């Protein structure tokens, strides 16, 4: 069964957004620092800290419980392509393509997503502002191992 759920896309998009931030290569106070903090928080399952790194608009449209559940669905990710589209003092935008492994309805999937991720400098802090990613390739790998189903 192909994954077309908007909820899965949001989880994948946020995961790839943090990967973009980590790999962006800006100054320590730039968008990559936000990505590092976001990634570490998700890795530690500290979804509250990760959620705090999203812009106010993203948080308004994505309630915390939904964000936390979607973040748990991602088991692995890899950035395949990253290109800066715009880099300014208050805005950073990247074209990204990434591969993820995720659990969806008890099944494990490998998928490739592509699109753009934007970050903005709000009140002195970089925040993930907008994510526009779409699936371009999906493959069901089978039933998710029990350890993945409990993530």
């Amino acid at each position: 069964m192909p994954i077309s759920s908007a909820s899965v896309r949001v989880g994948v998009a946020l995961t790839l957004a943090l990967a973009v931030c980590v790999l962006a290569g800006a100054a320590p106070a730039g968008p990559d620092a936000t990505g590092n903090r976001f990634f570490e928080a998700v890795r530690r399952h500290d979804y509250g800290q990760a959620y705090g790194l999203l812009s106010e608009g993203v948080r308004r449209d994505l309630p915390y419980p939904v964000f936390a559940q979607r973040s748990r669905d991602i088991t692995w990710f890899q950035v395949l392509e990253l290109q800066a589209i715009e880099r300014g003092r208050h805005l950073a935008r990247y074209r990204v393509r990434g591969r993820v492994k995720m659990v969806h309805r008890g099944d494990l999937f490998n998928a490739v997503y592509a699109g753009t991720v934007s970050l903005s400098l709000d009140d002195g802090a970089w925040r993930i502002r907008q994510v526009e990613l779409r699936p371009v390739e999906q493959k069901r790998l089978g039933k998710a191992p029990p350890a993945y189903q409990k993530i």
Side-chain angles (χ1 to χ4, degrees):
M1 169 168 80
I3 302 173
S4 60
S5 167
S7 66
V8 172
R9 283 196 306 268
V10 170
V12 169
L14 291 172
T15 301
L16 290 175
L18 72 94
V20 166
C21 298
V22 170
L23 298 173
D32 64 326
T34 298
N36 282 321
R37 288 192 312 273
F38 186 94
F39 174 75
E40 283 302 312
V42 171
R43 188 183 63 72
R44 289 188 322 269
H45 305 287
D46 185 350
Y47 302 118
Q49 181 183 2
Y51 189 74
L53 296 171
L54 302 175
S55 72
E56 183 178 326
V58 172
R59 290 191 310 261
R60 185 176 43 249
D61 294 339
L62 182 66
Y64 172 76
V66 176
F67 167 80
Q69 180 56 51
R70 292 176 186 168
S71 296
R72 285 183 199 99
D73 292 342
I74 306 300
T75 63
W76 176 85
F77 69 89
Q78 174 187 21
V79 174
L80 302 173
E81 178 184 345
L82 176 66
Q83 180 181 8
I85 299 170
E86 181 178 352
R87 291 284 303 263
R89 288 179 40 178
H90 300 285
L91 180 69
R93 200 170 112 192
Y94 303 91
R95 182 174 297 120
V96 64
R97 182 176 171 92
R99 181 175 305 281
V100 298
K101 263 190 194 164
M102 70 190 91
V103 175
H104 181 67
R105 297 183 181 166
D107 290 331
L108 188 61
F109 286 85
N110 190 0
V112 174
Y113 282 74
T116 60
V117 175
S118 300
L119 295 94
S120 60
L121 188 60
D122 299 325
D123 297 324
W126 284 95
R127 304 276 185 224
I128 297 169
R129 175 181 153 191
Q130 185 177 29
V131 179
E132 296 179 9
L133 297 174
R134 299 282 180 253
V136 294
E137 177 184 315
Q138 299 177 27
K139 181 180 179 186
R140 181 180 177 274
L141 302 175
K143 284 290 182 196
Y148 283 155
Q149 293 182 16
K150 295 178 184 176
I151 292 175

